[in-house]
Amino acid sequence: MKPSAIFRKLALLLATLVAVAALLLFTLDLGFLQGTVEKQVKQLTGRDLTINKGLSISFGRELEIRARDVRLANPEWAEEETFANVFNLHAVIDTWSLWKGPVLIRKLEVDDLTVKLLQNEDEQVNWAFEGMAATTAEPADSLPFLLEYVSFLDAYVDFNSPRLVQPVVAVMDRFEQSNPYGQSVQAVAEGSLGGRPMQLELSAGPRERLL
């Protein structure tokens, strides 16, 4: 799996979780929001989600969500407990879009991300999530949200498999993708793959989607 594909898939997963959290704000008491989000993620992915340092919400024309030390568990067959850990997650959502749909996520920022990709001898992979196969297989235009801007800073991803002599490590110092409505998609990535420097700049037409 290419590093760019890894980060697109992670951004898709995180955006889905953020959209679920935002929609729950309009149907549930805020006092129960964190536990409810964790429960909904469990139903969506089949994995345990833990928000260790709290979930904060700010209301207005835009809905702002912040979460710290967010951990998503591995499947039961994996020896390591954690699939992904995000130290800081920040999302900004157009409030009106929660009523009219699709959910418009204006900004999704992820700082200090660690992801452990695993494949076992039976060729099971830990990035396959229960209940999300149908969602991610649909065309991008049918997804329940639009994502205008996504950023990963200080991201570390390694991939381990019995087929590999040693794990493949990707370090992303910066990954940014912007897709304002009606404008071209812009993406920039800087980091390293297997110890070798990596840099990517991409521009695509307004109707094309990286996510």
Side-chain angles (χ1 to χ4, degrees), residues 33-42 47 49-51:
L33 180 61
Q34 179 171 327
T36 303
V37 169
E38 293 171 345
K39 181 179 178 181
Q40 290 292 322
V41 170
K42 176 72 171 181
R47 310 281 184 87
L49 178 79
T50 306
I51 305 173

Side-chain angles (χ1 to χ4, degrees), residues 185-201:
V185 178
Q186 304 290 332
V188 177
E190 297 175 354
S192 63
L193 177 62
R196 296 183 178 181
M198 176 183 65
Q199 187 167 359
L200 170 70
E201 292 187 14

Side-chain angles (χ1 to χ4, degrees), residues 23-65:
L23 289 170
L24 287 171
L25 290 174
F26 286 82
T27 59
L28 297 169
D29 188 307
L30 286 176
F32 299 98
L33 180 61
Q34 179 171 327
T36 303
V37 169
E38 293 171 345
K39 181 179 178 181
Q40 290 292 322
V41 170
K42 176 72 171 181
Q43 293 178 354
L44 181 66
T45 67
R47 310 281 184 87
D48 290 326
L49 178 79
T50 306
I51 305 173
N52 292 308
K53 295 187 178 179
L55 181 68
S56 65
I57 314 293
S58 298
F59 288 97
R61 294 181 61 183
E62 294 181 327
L63 178 67
E64 193 168 2
I65 300 175

